[in-house]
Amino acid sequence: MNLGILSRREANLLILRGLPRCTLAAVGIVPVLLLALTAHSQTLPTRSEPWTVTERGPHHRVHERIEVLDLGGGRVERIPHRYVELASGLHYWEDKQWKASKAEFTLL
C-alpha cells in the first residue's frame, strides 16, 4: 500500500482499526438517531409567533412566544415558550410605566 495516496476506504479502515469496539458501535448509531430525529421533526408542521415582551420590572424582562403545532385533522396544539432576561437596572420607572434603560454615559 502506498501511504502517500490512500483511497477513502483505506483511510477509513486505518482510522477505525485504532478505535475500541464501543466507539465503533456509537459511530454506527449516531447517524441512525439523527435520521430518526430529522424524520420526526418533519412530520408535524409548525409555525411560530414572534417573541414579545409580556412583563417588565426594574431588573427583568419576560419574553414569550407561542408555537402552533398542526396535529392534522384540524387539530392544533399551542406550545408556549418563555424566558426571563435578567440585568441590573434594565428598566426605570417613569410616567407610571417601566421604560427601557440605555447603557450610555454623559461626560461632564
Side-chain angles (χ1 to χ4, degrees), residues 5-102:
I5 301 174
L6 295 176
S7 70
R8 177 175 280 170
R9 183 175 183 275
E10 291 170 332
N12 287 339
L13 287 174
L14 284 175
I15 291 169
L16 293 178
R17 282 186 189 146
L19 297 175
R21 289 182 189 262
C22 61
T23 305
L24 294 177
V27 168
I29 290 173
V30 169
V32 173
L33 290 175
L34 290 175
L35 181 62
L37 289 172
T38 303
H40 176 69
S41 67
Q42 293 174 352
T43 58
L44 298 174
T46 62
R47 65 182 188 276
S48 297
E49 297 174 2
W51 288 99
T52 58
V53 177
T54 59
E55 182 183 325
R56 297 174 199 268
H59 308 294
H60 76 282
R61 181 171 27 219
V62 179
H63 299 264
E64 290 185 357
R65 78 176 170 91
I66 303 295
E67 182 179 13
V68 181
L69 218 58
D70 185 5
L71 301 174
R75 298 176 311 161
V76 295
E77 183 177 346
R78 297 172 59 84
I79 303 170
H81 297 277
R82 176 182 186 190
Y83 71 92
V84 179
E85 179 182 1
L86 297 174
S88 181
L90 196 57
H91 297 99
Y92 64 96
W93 186 257
E94 184 177 83
D95 300 328
K96 300 182 182 180
Q97 64 181 348
W98 290 108
K99 295 188 178 181
S101 298
K102 296 177 184 175

